[in-house]
Amino acid sequence: MSLRFKSADMASISQSPVTFSGGLSSATSASDLLRSSINGANGVPLKTLGRGHVGPRRKSLNIIAKVRKVKKHEYPWPQDPDPNVKGGVLSHLSPFKPLKEKPKPVTLEFEKPLMDLQKKIIDVQKMANETGLDFSDQIISLENKYQQALKDLYTHLTPIQRVNIARHPNRPTFLDHVFNITEKFVELHGDRAGYDDPAIVTGIGTINGKRFMFMGHQKGRNTKENIQRNFGMPTPHGYRKALRMMYYADHHGFPIVTFIDTPGAFADLKSEELGQGEAIAHNLRTMFGLKVPIISIVIGEGGSGGALAIGCANKLLMLENAVFYVASPEACAAILWKTAKASPKAAEKLKITANELCRLQVADSIIPEPLGGAHADPHWTSEQIKTSILESMDELEKMGTEELLRHRMLKFRKIGGFQEGLPVDPEKKVNMKRKEEPRPGLISDKVLQGEVNKLKEQILKAKETSSINMDQNGLIEKLQREINYEFSEAAKALGIEEKLSKMREEFAKAENEQLTSGQLENLENLKTEFNENLATAPNYGRLKYKLSLLKEITEAKTFAENYKKTLPLKAKVNQKFKEVLEKSTLKENIEILKDEIEKSGVSSIEEFDQELKEKVIEVREQVESEFVNALESSGVHVASKFGQTSMSIIKAKVDELNAEINQIIHDVIESTPDLKNKIEILKLEVVKDKNAPSKESKVKIEDLQQQIKQDVADIMSSAAVKDKYEQLQAELAELSGGSDGSLIKEPSYA
């Protein structure tokens, strides 16, 4: 395509008409025409001047213009827009279009058992199609198992599993939900400061004919979109764009709905230079002053201030598998436990799930998800979100402006707990590194003794307050490490360690891990040598001292455990004793006895006359009897029903009888040479074969023991001893109130 000017003179160009050849003029728009008085060309299209060749001629000028072939511009508006499209014709302007390819299924680690069942179902279906046989029963059974396993899995998810679901690559994004719940939606761009952050999307949409201002974090649905959206991590421009739309909504009275789905604000150098912290803080301050209702919905993960910058709302709703945290579980685990592998533990401690946050009153309600997560049925999930938005908005629109602002303020003021009037502990410097135990041998005896004494004091104080709640195991383990170290040092000093190491090598070479008799003998000899020479070791004093400390702390532990077991019984006994004393008959008898004691004018029980003593004993026996009956009726077994005085009398008589029996036995042995010889022979046999007694020796010892026992039994059957024993048994029966004189009464379960 060419254009030629002809004139007799260069100065006559402006007066000469321009002629066009070809169809260029017909395709030229008015906006493309350049009218300039400077170059003297009027009405020449810009495109025709794109590339030209000027060739000087005498009395003529030739201009040749060529049009380049360029790629046709892809406008978002189609050639024939459908006016009935969902969202209205303006939705054609949105660059967010449905994906051309279905996203690839992603299986999380904890879902792999479900995939095994699903694979079995597919294999059976394939077999049925190939063979033509009917496997419908098997398929139905497998599908029922799959549904039950899916239900069991998703109703008992751990916090870290919910985190993984919230980060699922196929989880519906903000725009997915918005286009599902709105009839019309127009995206609004730019922060009016020269940038439009794609990680935060804002726009106006309608639900049931009512306008709302929507804004939220937008993640990508694939790698390309994630790079474009910066993985849903906004820069300061994104928060300033959201702030501009908040002012716009507040001015026009549009309720605000925000969708939170971000790992956190983008933390690069450029964002910090542009004022990331200031942008977030400005949003926080502004949201508390907006006069329109605000609802925030956590649809994925809500990380730190990046989520809170659009989350200061009257209502915070969370999807069932969404998480909301101040630091990710991986970051928390790296800080506290120095490894990201502890993230499951961190996720549990952080309390970041929807259930926990509702219990802590951080979130207001939970939006249910289908089994398998929101990505299993995005449209159903969007409908649940729509229902929750309308219900919450109906509640908030009933409030006045002042009430709405106060409601938003109180929502955040009530988060957390406060305790007043309690003493504040002094601030302690916390070292996040795990405290290492000092190496054995470096702890001084003074420090160990101090810890033991401190524990004893704690036990005594606990005994006074009737509550023991302490752990002695830590100190016992520390002492055991110290003792093992001292034994090891003693073995080194005595030269035993080298022998022991050689013996270990021999034991390691032993076949079938069975030691020979010679090896066992060597081990026993080494043990004997060590025990005999231990007192000569240079650290024997420290070892003996630490062993004594271990004995003390072990006894203290035993006492604490036994005392702790008796506390419930002690409380029960005291309660029963109070109830017994409150009985009217006993109370009256005690009061009468007190009056008689006061009238007698005697202060000590030794000065009481016989009649008064008998009355005291009678009242005491009544109290004891009622007390024992009350205890046994409540299931507490009482071994004996007689008092301490009676017990001392019985003990004295038993000791007297035992002494008399021993004296009789001694006299009989001295006066019976045969019995005396048998005892001496028995002693010699026992001493002679002490280490390894032979079979014959064992038989001989048993025969001698049997003969001696028989002789002693004959002595015990003498009339004098038998009479005294029967007399003592009768006294015991009289004192205990039993028929057989037994000191212990068997419990009755009738």
Side-chain angles (χ1 to χ4, degrees):
M1 193 177 294
S2 63
L3 177 67
R4 179 168 296 186
F5 295 91
K6 291 184 179 181
S7 64
D9 190 67
M10 289 289 290
S12 63
I13 293 176
S14 60
Q15 286 80 20
S16 302
V18 180
T19 60
F20 301 97
S21 59
L24 181 63
S25 61
S26 62
T28 305
S29 62
S31 61
D32 289 332
L33 295 179
L34 174 65
R35 302 186 182 277
S36 174
S37 60
I38 297 173
N39 56 17
N42 293 328
V44 181
L46 278 176
K47 292 180 181 178
T48 63
L49 299 178
R51 183 182 293 176
H53 175 73
V54 179
R57 287 185 183 182
R58 191 169 60 176
K59 296 183 181 181
S60 64
L61 174 65
N62 292 335
I63 298 176
I64 299 172
K66 294 182 180 179
V67 178
R68 289 182 297 172
K69 291 183 179 180
V70 296
K71 186 178 179 181
K72 185 179 178 182
H73 183 70
E74 294 181 356
Y75 290 99
W77 197 281
Q79 295 261 339
D80 299 316
D82 181 9
N84 298 320
V85 70
K86 180 173 169 46
V89 291
L90 292 178
S91 63
H92 292 296
L93 294 173
S94 174
F96 187 82
K97 305 294 182 186
L99 291 173
K100 295 179 181 178
E101 297 180 0
K102 190 176 180 181
K104 294 179 180 179
V106 177
T107 303
L108 300 175
E109 188 66 29
F110 65 90
E111 292 178 323
K112 287 183 178 178
L114 294 176
M115 295 303 103
D116 295 338
L117 275 173
Q118 202 171 39
K119 187 175 181 299
K120 286 181 182 178
I121 294 171
I122 294 170
D123 291 342
V124 174
Q125 288 174 340
K126 185 178 179 182
M127 189 185 299
N129 294 333
E130 290 176 353
T131 60
L133 299 174
D134 185 13
F135 291 100
S136 57
D137 292 341
Q138 290 84 344
I139 292 171
I140 292 171
S141 175
L142 286 172
E143 286 178 346
N144 290 338
K145 283 184 182 178
Y146 176 81
Q147 290 299 326
Q148 186 60 41
L150 182 68
K151 184 178 179 181
D152 292 342
L153 178 63
Y154 273 84
T155 50
H156 300 91
L157 290 170
T158 62
I160 195 64
Q161 288 173 346
R162 294 192 187 276
V163 172
N164 292 330
I165 295 171
R167 295 172 178 170
H168 199 285
N170 298 337
R171 194 170 176 85
T173 63
F174 162 55
L175 285 175
D176 287 317
H177 289 304
V178 164
F179 283 117
N180 284 337
I181 67 177
T182 57
E183 296 93 26
K184 295 181 181 180
F185 177 75
V186 180
E187 186 177 345
L188 303 176
H189 298 269
D191 62 348
R192 294 297 183 267
Y195 194 80
D196 180 31
D197 187 359
I200 282 189
V201 175
T202 59
I204 298 175
T206 60
I207 301 177
N208 295 345
K210 184 176 178 61
R211 292 186 183 88
F212 294 89
M213 175 63 74
F214 293 96
M215 58 187 68
H217 303 97
Q218 177 63 28
K219 287 183 177 179
R221 296 168 293 179
N222 50 42
T223 305
K224 182 180 178 181
E225 285 190 8
N226 267 321
I227 293 171
Q228 179 193 352
R229 301 285 182 180
N230 198 28
F231 295 87
M233 295 184 290
T235 62
H237 300 290
Y239 293 119
R240 290 180 181 126
K241 174 169 72 170
L243 180 66
R244 184 174 77 87
M245 300 307 166
M246 289 176 197
Y247 283 130
Y248 184 85
D250 191 48
H251 176 74
H252 292 283
F254 298 153
I256 298 173
V257 181
T258 69
F259 288 73
I260 297 170
D261 187 15
T262 179
F266 193 46
D268 68 328
L269 180 61
K270 188 68 175 175
S271 296
E272 295 301 329
E273 289 175 351
L274 293 172
Q276 184 75 283
E278 184 274 339
I280 293 173
H282 198 169
N283 280 25
L284 297 178
R285 184 185 68 181
T286 302
M287 290 188 80
F288 280 104
L290 298 177
K291 299 175 183 177
V292 293
I294 306 175
I295 296 174
S296 291
I297 305 168
V298 186
I299 59 173
E301 55 177 337
S304 191
L308 201 60
I310 60 170
C312 295
N314 294 93
K315 294 274 188 180
L316 179 66
L317 315 179
M318 292 184 70
L319 285 180
E320 187 179 350
N321 295 316
V323 289
F324 199 49
Y325 49 71
V326 69
S328 68
E330 292 81 6
C332 177
I335 293 169
L336 295 181
W337 294 285
K338 307 300 178 187
T339 173
K341 292 180 180 178
S343 57
K345 182 179 179 182
E348 186 176 352
K349 298 291 184 184
L350 283 169
K351 310 295 183 188
I352 59 178
T353 60
N355 288 326
E356 290 288 352
L357 292 172
C358 277
R359 187 177 61 82
L360 296 171
Q361 297 184 347
V362 175
D364 294 289
S365 67
I366 301 172
I367 302 173
E369 292 186 30
L371 290 176
H375 52 279
D377 193 348
H379 289 279
W380 187 87
T381 307
S382 297
E383 285 302 315
Q384 301 305 309
I385 292 174
K386 179 179 177 179
T387 303
S388 298
I389 290 173
L390 294 175
E391 288 177 357
S392 300
M393 203 59 72
D394 289 342
E395 180 184 345
L396 294 175
E397 285 179 342
K398 295 176 183 177
M399 300 181 185
T401 302
E402 294 299 325
E403 187 181 359
L404 193 69
L405 293 172
R406 180 171 176 78
H407 177 273
R408 196 178 306 150
M409 181 268 295
L410 291 176
K411 171 180 169 49
F412 287 86
R413 288 290 293 172
K414 72 180 180 182
I415 294 175
F418 302 91
Q419 289 182 322
E420 297 181 0
L422 298 178
V424 181
D425 293 334
E427 293 184 3
K428 296 180 181 179
K429 186 176 180 181
V430 179
N431 185 4
M432 300 306 292
K433 291 185 178 179
R434 185 178 294 175
K435 188 176 180 181
E436 297 180 357
E437 289 289 338
R439 191 165 58 85
L442 298 179
I443 304 175
S444 65
D445 296 344
K446 187 176 180 181
V447 172
L448 289 173
Q449 182 65 58
E451 291 187 14
V452 172
N453 292 338
K454 184 179 178 182
L455 186 61
K456 286 181 179 178
E457 290 176 4
Q458 289 178 351
I459 292 174
L460 289 174
K461 288 180 181 178
K463 185 180 177 183
E464 291 174 2
T465 58
S466 297
S467 63
I468 290 185
N469 188 13
M470 58 189 68
D471 183 18
Q472 303 88 8
N473 294 330
L475 185 54
I476 289 175
E477 289 175 3
K478 188 185 291 186
L479 279 170
Q480 285 175 340
R481 285 197 299 270
E482 290 291 321
I483 290 167
N484 291 337
Y485 173 78
E486 296 296 345
F487 271 121
S488 177
E489 291 297 311
K492 286 180 184 177
L494 298 174
I496 302 292
E497 191 175 17
E498 295 179 4
K499 297 179 182 178
L500 191 60
S501 61
K502 289 179 181 178
M503 196 171 290
R504 284 198 190 102
E505 293 176 3
E506 291 179 6
F507 293 166
K509 296 176 183 177
E511 296 181 0
N512 301 325
E513 299 182 356
Q514 294 292 332
L515 301 181
T516 62
S517 58
Q519 289 175 332
L520 288 172
E521 186 178 353
N522 292 337
L523 182 61
E524 193 65 30
N525 293 337
L526 188 64
K527 182 180 176 182
T528 304
E529 181 184 350
F530 179 73
N531 291 332
E532 289 176 353
N533 298 325
L534 182 60
T536 61
N539 65 331
Y540 178 69
R542 291 198 304 275
L543 174 61
K544 191 175 179 182
Y545 177 70
K546 290 175 181 178
L547 283 170
S548 66
L549 289 180
L550 181 62
K551 184 180 178 183
E552 287 183 29
I553 195 65
T554 306
E555 290 175 354
K557 180 186 177 183
T558 305
F559 168 77
E561 289 175 350
N562 293 336
Y563 186 75
K564 195 171 183 179
K565 290 177 182 177
T566 61
L567 286 178
L569 182 60
K570 184 179 178 182
K572 191 173 184 179
V573 169
N574 290 336
Q575 181 63 29
K576 287 293 177 183
F577 188 68
K578 288 180 181 178
E579 293 175 2
V580 167
L581 292 180
E582 291 297 323
K583 287 188 175 182
S584 58
T585 55
L586 285 179
K587 200 171 184 182
E588 185 179 349
N589 292 339
I590 291 170
E591 292 296 331
I592 293 170
L593 183 62
K594 282 182 179 179
D595 293 339
E596 291 185 7
I597 292 172
E598 287 178 3
K599 289 177 183 178
S600 65
V602 181
S603 58
S604 62
I605 194 169
E606 289 81 6
E607 299 176 0
F608 288 176
D609 56 19
Q610 187 62 31
E611 184 181 356
L612 194 55
K613 282 183 180 180
E614 289 176 358
K615 287 184 179 180
V616 170
I617 293 171
E618 183 182 353
V619 172
R620 185 174 66 182
E621 287 177 352
Q622 288 178 2
V623 173
E624 286 179 358
S625 177
E626 291 289 339
F627 184 43
V628 169
N629 292 334
L631 289 176
E632 291 195 341
S633 64
S634 63
V636 179
H637 174 61
V638 181
S640 62
K641 296 183 181 179
F642 42 85
Q644 190 173 359
T645 307
S646 303
M647 176 61 82
S648 60
I649 296 170
I650 294 169
K651 189 175 182 299
K653 291 192 176 186
V654 170
D655 291 340
E656 183 182 350
L657 180 60
N658 285 333
E660 188 172 347
I661 290 170
N662 290 332
Q663 185 62 41
I664 292 171
I665 292 172
H666 183 267
D667 294 341
V668 169
I669 290 172
E670 290 296 328
S671 61
T672 310
D674 186 30
L675 181 58
K676 191 173 183 181
N677 289 335
K678 287 178 183 178
I679 293 172
E680 293 298 328
I681 294 169
L682 178 62
K683 287 181 180 179
L684 289 173
E685 288 293 332
V686 171
V687 172
K688 184 173 66 175
D689 295 330
K690 181 179 179 182
N691 295 329
S694 62
K695 191 174 180 181
E696 295 178 358
S697 179
K698 285 182 179 180
V699 172
K700 190 174 181 181
I701 289 171
E702 289 176 0
D703 290 341
L704 286 170
Q705 287 176 342
Q706 193 65 30
Q707 292 174 18
I708 292 168
K709 285 180 181 179
Q710 185 62 40
D711 293 341
V712 171
D714 293 339
I715 295 168
M716 291 298 297
S717 63
S718 62
V721 176
K722 192 174 182 180
D723 291 342
K724 288 192 176 182
Y725 175 74
E726 289 177 353
Q727 183 181 355
L728 180 60
Q729 193 174 19
E731 290 179 7
L732 290 175
E734 183 181 353
L735 286 169
S736 62
S739 60
D740 58 352
S742 176
L743 291 177
I744 299 175
K745 182 181 177 183
E746 292 297 327
S748 174
Y749 301 103

